[in-house]
């Protein structure tokens, strides 16, 4: 917040510890789950008191006046198809004739008994057409025609004992008719038109089709029986499922009324901007409004960008009702701001325990921006902690942007002893910081509040801790992918960075013929937290470590892969919920005292004796890049070894000697174009490749041919030339190191095919 004319004395609160973002997410989810627990306790008691069905216990629900409003909402109940399901009649799949398969039994016997010649020339499979049923005609229409025929007409006729009813696709197949013959397999005969009952309309099966019709027509041929698409009792919308267009169709088919669809209520989220410097520019302003706006004339004032930004972000999440709370100025004083906000959380004259007064109820989540860093006017912590009696769970995050993000819960004990809890996010004033932190922290919180915690999976007597743990572990977080950076990035010296990136998808060759995709991430310009343009066109947030945590120092090199949290949606699949996210894993593994050791690489480059210069550092950088940004890899030893007569002695000596002490994984590289870049596969290098394998195989303490095969096929998929070289993999130095040989061509494919395994082997075998 900006300095005012009459500044109060500085309020310097002790600095809160700076915590990692995944830990902050865990805290937010834990406290959100606790809020849901309090809510559940209150509802359980109420249901018990009123002796009512517990269907409303887990979340508060409502019905909505239009189908359109149901889209994207979460169903609060299972909705099942009432009897008879869909379709509600036996329905023809074809335009054609409904017939009785019992009529075909005798016809089939007669046909089988006939001579071959007679069959083709004289056999006639004909039917009297006794009625027509069009799609949409009700069953009675069909009945009448058939009934007429059976009772009044042709009763003395033996000739026309088979009857058929013309039906269109979707029409009701009359009772006692049990198959349909498509129109194209039939033809009309002796048709003189009119309703002359002495000249009945007839159809016959086209002679060339008789055989196949007799063979293939069984009961229900070309008929959808009642309830075959949706059987009665089947669930068309499950409790907890998000309502999609498909549900609209299903509910229409089985006849579910709007008043039967109960959806979870949306949490209400208030957005407040704070700061004397802010000017409100109405969203519907015109150019002349802007020019004449009195506050806009004043130097130092800035437009309030955070409210339109956050309110629209919340609308896009689709999991809450955003509410505009305007601007609070520093001059209002913290007590006044606190009083105002308490009334927004728990409005006066509204019974906090009355579910039906939802319209007038308080907001569930409050988001403020500004006033949380170290300035004299940064009073928001004071507002929430002192003025509102809230509990500050964290006040500094180890991230850029968003460091001063603060999370508070404010609890109120209701008259009946139950707790009503509100969640408060005091986000930094810089618009990009506010936007990024809303995405990372507020969005999963709102998703949990909206979806609820499915307590049905837990026992009825579930205790608070188990309820919360279940909720946190299964909470949905952002979908995660890995993407390679398209240019070098200078890492922040202090904090991990959540960079806004645009993604593109490239196809690349995987193992064998498999086609794979790889994501590339490019940063969106200068990443200053005031620069809103850095959000424009962003597909997600790339998590870059702070400088010094990567083997390559302060620069993340082009091609290195890092995790990206996708903006598009929260993960819908259960296997990427919070407990399984990379993001959480990154924090957990760094927290773990026994976290896996860094993979210490020893790089041995075998070169031709006539090659003067071999750039070892470029090989080492390539290897670190290939192992990936977040795998802990460091090159601890690098040795150049020339192919000459002494190679047979020299190579085992280096591998077993002090030069490779402390190395977990030795990569023996045979460059094919190391110096001159002229021939991809010089004959010397080719020979060297075989020679190296020949020399190294006897010194392996354990040979790993299956891994070698993976290395080879990975290398060959990257560059077919690599298939000419022999790869060996195995343990050396009394099982303390893993040795892998490969060439520089295909190196990327070779490493990619085994890097996960190497990581795994190192953490379990060589610690
Ligand atoms: N001595 C220190 N100063 C700062 C630190 C620090 O650790 N020590 N942290 C910096 C970081 S990081 C951030 S982020 C900002 C956050 O500051 P506040 O949350 O206190 O926000 P303000 O000071 O009120 O505003 C910061 C900046 O953003 C502009 N702003 C505020 N509200 C809006 C709005 N609604 N729309 C558009 N822009 C807004 C405001 O004018 C300021 O320029 O603190 C650093 N300082
Ligand atoms: O953390 Mo602040 O959000 O860098 O600008």
């Amino acid at each position: 917040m900006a300095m005012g004319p009459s500044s109060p004395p500085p309020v310097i609160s002790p600095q809160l510890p700076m915590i990692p973002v995944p830990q902050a997410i865990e805290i937010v989810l834990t406290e959100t789950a606790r809020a849901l627990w309090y809510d559940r306790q209150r509802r359980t008691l109420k249901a018990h008191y009123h002796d009512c069905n517990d269907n409303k216990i887990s979340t508060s629900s409502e019905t909505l006046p239009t189908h359109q409003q149901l889209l994207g909402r979460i169903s609060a109940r299972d909705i099942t198809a009432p009897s008879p399901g869909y379709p509600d009649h036996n329905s023809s799949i074809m335009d054609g004739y409904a017939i009785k398969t019992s009529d075909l039994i005798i016809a089939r016997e007669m046909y089988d008994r006939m001579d071959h010649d007679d069959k083709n020339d004289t056999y006639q499979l004909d039917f009297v057409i006794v009625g027509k049923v069009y799609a949409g005609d009700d069953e009675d229409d069909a009945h009448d025609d058939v009934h007429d025929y059976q009772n009044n007409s042709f009763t003395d006729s033996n000739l026309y004992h088979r009857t058929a009813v013309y039906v269109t696709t979707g029409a009701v197949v009359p009772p006692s008719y049990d198959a349909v013959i498509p129109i194209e397999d039939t033809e009309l005969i002796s048709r003189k038109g009119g309703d002359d009952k002495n000249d009945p309309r007839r159809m016959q099966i086209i002679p060339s089709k008789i055989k196949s019709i007799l063979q293939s027509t069984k009961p229900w041929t070309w008929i959808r029986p009642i309830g075959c698409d949706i059987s009665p009792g089947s669930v068309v919308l499950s409790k907890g499922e998000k309502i999609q267009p498909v549900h609209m169709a299903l509910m229409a088919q089985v006849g579910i009324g709007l008043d039967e669809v109960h959806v979870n209520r949306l949490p209400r989220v208030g957005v407040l901007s704070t700061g004397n410097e802010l000017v409100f520019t109405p969203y519907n302003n015109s150019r002349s409004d802007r020019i004449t706006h009195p506050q806009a004339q004043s130097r130092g004032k800035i437009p309030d960008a955070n409210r339109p930004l956050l309110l629209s972000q919340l609308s896009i999440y689709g999991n809450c009702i955003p509410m505009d709370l305007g601007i609070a100025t520093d001059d209002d004083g913290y007590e006044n701001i606190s009083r105002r906000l308490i009334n927004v959380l728990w409005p006066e004259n509204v019974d906090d325990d009355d579910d039906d007064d939802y319209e007038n109820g308080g907001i569930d989540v409050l988001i403020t921006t500004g006033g949380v860093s170290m300035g004299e006017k940064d009073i928001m912590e004071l507002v929430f902690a002192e003025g509102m009696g809230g509990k500050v769970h964290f006040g500094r995050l180890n991230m850029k942007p968003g460091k001063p993000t603060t999370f508070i819960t404010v609890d109120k004990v209701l008259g009946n002893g139950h707790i009503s809890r509100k969640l408060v996010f005091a986000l930094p004033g810089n618009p990009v910081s506010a936007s990024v932190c809303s995405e990372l922290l507020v969005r999963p919180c709102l998703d949990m509040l909206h979806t609820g915690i499915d307590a049905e999976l837990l026992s009825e007597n579930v205790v608070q801790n188990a309820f919360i743990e279940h909720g946190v572990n299964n909470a949905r977080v952002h979908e995660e992918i890995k993407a390679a950076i398209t240019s070098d990035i200078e890492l922040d010296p202090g904090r991990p960075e959540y960079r806004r990136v645009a993604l593109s998808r490239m196809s690349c060759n995987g193992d064998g013929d498999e086609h794979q995709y790889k994501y590339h991430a490019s940063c969106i310009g200068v990443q200053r937290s005031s620069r809103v343009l850095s959000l424009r066109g962003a597909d997600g947030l790339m998590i870059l470590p702070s400088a010094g945590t990567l083997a390559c120092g302060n620069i993340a090199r082009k091609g290195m892969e890092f995790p990206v949290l996708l903006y598009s949606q929260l993960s819908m699949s259960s296997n990427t919920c919070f407990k399984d996210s990379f993001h959480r894993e990154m924090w957990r593994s760094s927290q773990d005292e026994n976290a896996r050791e860094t993979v210490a690489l020893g790089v041995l480059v075998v070169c031709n004796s006539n090659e003067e210069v071999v750039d070892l550092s470029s090989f080492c950088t390539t290897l670190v890049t290939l192992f990936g940004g977040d795998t802990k890899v460091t090159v601890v030893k690098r040795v150049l070894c020339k192919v000459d007569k002494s190679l047979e002695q020299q190579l085992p000596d280096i591998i077993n000697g002090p030069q490779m002490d402390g190395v977990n994984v030795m990569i023996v590289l045979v460059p094919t174009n190391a110096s001159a870049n002229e021939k991809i596969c010089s004959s010397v290098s080719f020979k060297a490749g075989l020679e190296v394998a020949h020399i190294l195989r006897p010194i392996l303490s354990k040979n790993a041919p299956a891994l070698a095969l993976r290395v080879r096929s990975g290398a060959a998929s990257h560059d077919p030339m690599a298939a000419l070289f022999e790869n060996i993999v195995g343990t050396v130095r009394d099982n303390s190191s893993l040795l892998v040989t490969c060439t520089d061509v295909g190196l990327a494919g070779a490493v990619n095919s085994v890097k996960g395994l190497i990581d795994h082997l190192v953490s379990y075998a060589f610690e």
Side-chain angles (χ1 to χ4, degrees), residues 392-404:
V392 178
H393 293 271
F394 55 79
R396 286 199 313 150
L397 297 185
N398 189 20
M399 72 181 295
K400 184 182 169 186
K403 186 174 68 174

Side-chain angles (χ1 to χ4, degrees), residues 414-486:
L414 303 178
N416 56 16
H418 284 286
I419 297 171
S420 161
R421 158 166 286 205
K422 310 289 176 164
L423 305 158
V424 181
F425 295 87
L427 304 181
N430 279 315
V432 177
S433 319
S435 168
V436 165
C437 292
S438 167
E439 190 68 36
L440 286 173
L441 302 170
V442 181
R443 192 173 182 181
C445 154
L446 294 177
D447 185 74
M448 185 190 269
L449 284 181
H450 179 210
T451 314
I453 292 173
D454 193 353
E456 275 174 18
L457 295 175
L458 304 163
S459 82
E460 220 173 80
N461 300 321
V462 60
V463 291
Q464 186 180 160
N465 285 350
F467 178 88
I468 291 174
E469 191 182 322
H470 177 78
V472 172
N473 282 342
N474 294 291
R476 293 189 301 194
V477 287
H478 292 84
E479 201 84 71
E480 297 168 331
I481 55 153
K482 283 201 170 180
I485 52 178
T486 52

Side-chain angles (χ1 to χ4, degrees), residues 97 124-129 154 159-160 186-205:
Y97 292 95
Q124 193 183 29
L125 184 55
D126 58 351
F127 298 78
V128 178
I129 304 165
F154 315 116
L159 183 61
Y160 299 122
T186 68
E187 57 193 4
L188 289 173
I189 47 172
S190 309
R191 185 173 178 189
K192 292 192 181 137
D195 277 324
D196 182 355
K197 301 234 163 54
N198 294 320
D199 180 19
R201 291 162 297 169
R202 286 192 297 143
M203 70 87 178
Q204 69 167 358
I205 307 298

Side-chain angles (χ1 to χ4, degrees), residues 516-708:
Q516 289 182 348
Y517 292 99
K518 200 174 169 161
Y519 287 95
H520 287 190
S522 27
C523 300
I524 303 179
V526 175
Q527 297 273 310
R528 225 184 357 258
S529 57
S530 58
R531 186 174 172 269
V532 177
L533 278 174
S534 73
L535 294 167
R536 190 177 178 199
D539 295 307
L541 296 170
M542 175 170 262
I543 310 174
L544 291 171
S546 55
T549 49
L550 290 183
C552 53
N554 297 346
I555 309 281
R557 296 284 173 204
K558 176 180 173 182
M560 280 184 159
E561 287 193 336
F562 297 95
V564 177
L565 309 177
L566 297 182
Y567 269 153
S568 51
Q569 58 177 44
L570 292 196
S571 156
M572 299 297 283
S573 62
S574 57
N575 60 354
T576 39
C577 53
F578 183 60
K579 75 170 182 307
D580 301 315
S581 62
F582 308 137
H583 198 188
R584 176 176 186 258
E585 188 50 37
M586 282 161 64
W587 160 53
R588 285 288 163 131
S589 57
S590 68
Q591 237 189 354
D592 190 352
E593 290 270 299
N594 302 319
R596 66 193 155 80
E597 296 293 318
T598 301
V599 176
L601 286 185
V603 180
L604 251 128
V605 178
V606 180
C607 70
N608 299 330
S609 53
N610 56 353
E611 281 165 345
E612 289 304 314
V613 186
V614 172
D615 186 358
L616 282 182
S617 66
S618 99
F619 280 127
C620 295
T621 307
T622 309
L623 277 168
V624 170
T625 306
L626 287 173
F627 273 95
D630 62 338
T631 301
K632 292 192 199 164
V633 173
T634 172
V635 177
V636 295
K637 303 282 165 144
R638 39 187 90 185
V639 181
L640 191 63
C641 206
K642 300 227 169 188
V643 181
D644 58 24
K645 288 199 180 67
S646 65
L647 186 68
E648 198 153 349
Q649 183 59 46
Q650 203 189 339
L651 210 45
D653 280 354
I654 294 170
I655 286 169
N656 288 313
Q659 273 175 293
M660 286 291 145
D661 280 352
V663 165
N664 305 122
V665 179
M666 278 176 224
I667 306 279
V668 181
L669 258 173
V670 185
T672 49
N673 55 347
S675 61
N677 237 359
E678 41 200 32
K679 281 193 238 157
I680 289 293
C681 177
S682 75
S683 57
V684 181
S685 300
F686 178 57
K687 251 172 49 202
L690 296 178
E691 206 174 320
V692 164
H694 172 74
I695 296 170
L696 293 182
R697 195 170 288 109
I699 68 162
L700 298 179
S701 42
K702 198 179 271 169
N703 193 1
L707 265 177

